[in-house]
């Protein structure tokens, strides 16, 4: 708790954790960053952002005092903030998971780095990409269109990208802060994993936002003017929109009907999932101990107290898929495991009841003296029962999930077969139409051959007339030449008709497709399995 000595009465604020000026960066990471990072590797979305007035230590908390030395290389020491520590922890955790998991486990990690400067989104990894747009998709959720996502394989590569992006961030000097952040920066770690067990594919994907917000400013305190004043106005406007979203979410959690204005700023729209959505979100409220910052400190604490009332709905972003046979086998195995577990649990309970009865029979005189021990044993038993109940619930939930997935796959297969049947019928109709057209062309070719025959006869007759007379009539000569050209063109067209050739090739191609569709419609398990494998190819 924090108590502020204010008038007319002191104000008290209660939070999950309060750090003093003596708290180390590592303690902040152990208390906040480690838990959220672990959840992200397990498939949850996560967000950590620092909020407070300018000069309160937000950038120091998120990044540290400086991310690079004079040579431009990344510095890793005890004063580094959450971001570099999270990067190190994530890669170490992933490597440990690969060693511990005997299954086929693969990870794919990508990072992106952007800033929101005067309501314009800029890609810090690609300075040429400016004024990017935020999009919303049912599958991808909220994302920035055109933002660079670099694939990284170790922490060193990630540090290099952090240094590269930090060089391009807008920073300026004010009366309250020599290196004041003039934009909101968002460093995002995208984690995807794939595991395969007995033909069952399991996919997990998550996003981890680490956000350094620009600080709220008062013009009197910072003496901002010109471009700095314009920047301060845009920063305060963006933070005001963030406060309005928090207020609307708090009212909604209290049962009131409220519209949340996420689209009032680029920052709130980008954080839509993090605020009241599918994410584990942690807010770090940075305050200044200076007396002249009392007003901003009080405002920051009120904001954090309201934000604490927002309720998110974080779930694991997980998807499983496989062949129908594989899913049925997995459901059968889990049901057997659940039945065996229930059987062993029943046996343990019977044993406890029997032991308790015998104890009651032989130790009636010692009940009062052992009441504390009995209570302790009862507590242990309750803990065991809660543990077993939790495991039982997990098994039942896993069975239900797989049964639902099996039903979905069967439905997909039925719909696919209907689609293939419809496509097959369309191809059949098209082939019939092509066959009719080919028949028409063949008849046309037969008629052309008859024309050739008659034209050849005419040419022969005209040639005999010319040979029998030395005076050649000019009209007959022209007719003879015209007929020769016409015969030549008709002969070439008949020998290689382009439309007929195209129809023959297309007809052959469609016949092959029809044979393939017939193979699909025979409910061939192998063919269906291959189709499923292709549909879940890891990217």
């Amino acid at each position: 708790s924090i108590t502020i000595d204010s008038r007319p009465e002191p104000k008290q604020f209660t939070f999950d954790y309060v750090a003093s000026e003596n708290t180390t960066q590592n303690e902040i990471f152990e208390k906040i960053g480690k838990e959220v990072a672990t959840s992200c590797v397990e498939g949850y979305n996560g967000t950590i952002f620092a909020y407070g007035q300018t000069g309160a230590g937000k950038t120091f908390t998120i990044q540290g005092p400086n991310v690079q030395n004079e040579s431009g290389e990344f510095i890793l020491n005890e004063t580094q903030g959450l971001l570099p520590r999270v990067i190190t922890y994530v890669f170490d955790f992933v490597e440990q998971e690969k060693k511990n998991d005997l299954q086929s486990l693969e990870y794919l990690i990508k990072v992106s780095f952007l800033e929101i400067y005067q309501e314009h989104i800029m890609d810090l990894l690609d300075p040429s990409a400016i004024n990017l747009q935020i999009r919303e998709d049912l599958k991808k959720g909220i994302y920035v269109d055109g933002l660079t996502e670099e694939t990284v394989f170790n922490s060193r590569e990630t540090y290099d990208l952090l240094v590269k992006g930090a060089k391009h961030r807008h920073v300026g000097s004010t009366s309250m802060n020599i290196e004041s952040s003039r934009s909101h920066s968002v460093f995002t770690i995208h984690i995807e994993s794939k595991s395969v067990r007995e033909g069952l594919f399991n996919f997990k994907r998550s996003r981890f936002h680490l956000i350094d917000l620009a600080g709220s400013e008062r013009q009197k305190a910072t003496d901002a003017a010109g471009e700095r004043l314009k920047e301060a106005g845009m920063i305060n406007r963006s933070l005001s929109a963030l406060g309005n979203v928090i207020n609307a979410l708090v009212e909604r959690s209290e049962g009131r009907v409220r519209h949340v204005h996420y689209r009032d700023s680029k920052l709130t729209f980008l954080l839509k999932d993090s605020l009241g959505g599918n994410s584990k979100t942690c807010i770090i409220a940075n305050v200044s101990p200076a007396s002249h910052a009392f007003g901003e400190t009080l405002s920051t604490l009120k904001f954090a107290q309201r934000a604490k009332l927002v309720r998110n709905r974080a779930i694991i972003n997980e998807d499983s898929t496989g062949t129908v046979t594989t899913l049925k086998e997995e459901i059968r195995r889990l049901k057997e495991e659940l039945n065996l577990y229930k059987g062993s649990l029943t046996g343990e309970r019977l044993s406890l009841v029997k032991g308790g009865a015998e104890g009651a029979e032989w130790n009636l005189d010692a009940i009062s003296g052992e009441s504390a021990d009995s209570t302790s044993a009862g507590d242990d038993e309750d803990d065991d029962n809660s543990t077993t109940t939790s495991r039982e619930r997990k098994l039942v939930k896993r069975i239900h999930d797989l049964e639902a997935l099996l039903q979905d796959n069967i439905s997909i297969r039925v719909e696919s077969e209907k689609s293939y049947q419809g496509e097959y019928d369309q191809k059949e109709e098209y082939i019939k139409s092509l066959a009719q057209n080919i028949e028409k062309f063949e008849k046309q070719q037969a008629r052309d051959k008859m024309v050739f025959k008659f034209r050849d006869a005419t040419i022969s007759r005209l040639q005999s007339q010319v040979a029998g007379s030395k005076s050649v009539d000019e009209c007959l000569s022209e007719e003879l030449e015209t007929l020769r050209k016409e015969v030549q063109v008709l002969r070439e067209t008949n020998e290689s008709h382009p439309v007929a050739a195209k129809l023959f090739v297309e007809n052959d191609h469609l016949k092959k497709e029809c044979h393939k569709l017939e193979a699909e419609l025979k409910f061939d398990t192998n063919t269906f399995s291959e189709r499923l494998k292709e549909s879940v190819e890891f990217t």
Side-chain angles (χ1 to χ4, degrees), residues 76-250:
L76 187 61
N77 52 41
E78 294 182 356
T79 61
Q80 286 307 315
L82 279 173
L83 181 50
R85 294 176 187 273
V86 163
I87 292 171
T88 304
Y89 177 77
V90 165
F91 281 97
D92 291 344
F93 190 88
V94 165
E95 289 300 320
Q96 189 63 37
E97 284 289 295
K98 290 181 179 180
K99 293 179 182 179
N100 295 339
D101 202 322
L102 299 178
Q103 306 169 14
S104 175
L105 182 61
E106 299 178 17
Y107 279 94
L108 179 64
I109 300 178
K110 300 179 181 179
V111 298
S112 60
F113 200 6
L114 64 86
E115 71 169 355
I116 303 176
Y117 177 70
Q118 296 190 13
E119 285 301 296
H120 294 288
I121 297 179
M122 302 183 179
D123 189 348
L124 293 178
L125 300 182
D126 182 11
S128 62
I130 59 175
N131 199 21
L132 302 178
Q133 299 300 314
I134 302 176
R135 309 294 184 193
E136 188 171 10
D137 184 76
L138 291 176
K139 293 183 178 180
K140 298 176 65 176
I142 304 295
Y143 70 99
V144 178
D145 190 21
L147 182 65
T148 303
E149 292 184 1
E150 294 283 356
T151 301
V152 289
F153 299 96
N154 52 60
S155 56
R156 176 53 58 183
E157 293 181 358
T158 314
Y159 297 150
D160 293 341
L161 292 175
L162 175 60
V163 172
K164 177 182 178 181
K167 292 178 180 178
H168 300 130
R169 188 180 179 189
H170 285 82
V171 178
S173 176
T174 66
S175 298
M176 294 185 66
N177 193 353
I178 297 177
E179 294 184 355
S180 175
S181 301
R182 314 310 294 169
S183 64
H184 310 303
S185 71
V186 182
F187 190 92
T188 306
I189 304 174
H190 307 264
I191 304 174
E192 300 180 14
S193 66
K194 181 186 75 170
S195 61
V196 183
R197 186 181 65 186
E198 298 177 358
L200 186 66
F201 294 84
N202 181 266
F203 298 91
K204 293 180 181 178
R205 52 181 55 86
S206 62
R207 289 180 297 184
F208 190 3
H209 297 303
L210 291 110
I211 304 170
D212 177 19
L213 296 179
S216 58
E217 297 182 2
R218 292 187 177 182
Q219 195 272 337
K220 291 182 179 180
T222 59
D223 295 328
E227 187 67 21
R228 291 287 175 266
L229 182 61
K230 180 181 178 182
E231 292 172 347
M234 297 300 292
I235 291 171
N236 291 337
R237 176 184 174 186
S238 176
L239 295 177
S240 176
L242 176 61
N244 293 335
V245 167
I246 293 295
N247 291 335
L249 289 172
V250 171

Side-chain angles (χ1 to χ4, degrees), residues 373-409:
D373 294 338
S374 300
T375 302
S376 177
D379 292 341
D380 293 340
E381 182 180 343
D382 290 341
D383 292 340
D384 293 340
N385 289 339
S386 63
T387 302
T388 54
T389 303
S390 176
R391 183 178 176 187
E392 185 177 338
R393 283 199 301 266
K394 289 181 179 179
L395 284 172
V396 172
K397 183 179 182 301
R398 180 64 174 167
I399 290 173
H400 288 334
D401 291 343
L402 287 174
E403 286 178 342
L405 181 60
L406 175 62
Q407 186 63 38
D408 290 342
N409 278 345

